[in-house]
């Protein structure tokens, strides 16, 4: 699942690929979440090996 503002360009698309996330900063989960779990939910790179930038964990 991907949650975005109704004003975000992804909101107008029928689907979004993981590769598309490389163009935006993705919010990170907060709280006591193990890194391996976060990496599973939000990989550090796309299948094309592009970096997915994560926001700060708070």
């Amino acid at each position: 699942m991907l949650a975005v503002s109704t004003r975000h360009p992804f909101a107008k698309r029928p689907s979004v690929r993981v590769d598309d996330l490389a163009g935006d900063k993705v919010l990170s989960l907060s709280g006591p979440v193990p890194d391996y779990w976060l990496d599973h939910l939000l990989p550090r790179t796309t299948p094309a090996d592009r970096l997915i930038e994560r926001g700060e964990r708070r």
Side-chain angles (χ1 to χ4, degrees), residues 4 6 9 19-20 22-24 31-32 37 39 44:
V4 296
T6 57
D19 283 310
D20 298 328
D24 281 297
W37 194 66
D39 289 342
R44 294 182 185 274

Side-chain angles (χ1 to χ4, degrees), residues 14-25:
S15 64
V16 177
R17 299 174 309 138
V18 174
D19 283 310
D20 298 328
L21 299 178
D24 281 297
K25 183 183 283 189

Side-chain angles (χ1 to χ4, degrees), residues 18 29 33-44 54:
V18 174
L29 297 173
V33 179
D35 286 339
Y36 72 88
W37 194 66
L38 183 58
D39 289 342
H40 174 74
L41 294 173
L42 177 59
R44 294 182 185 274
R54 292 182 184 170

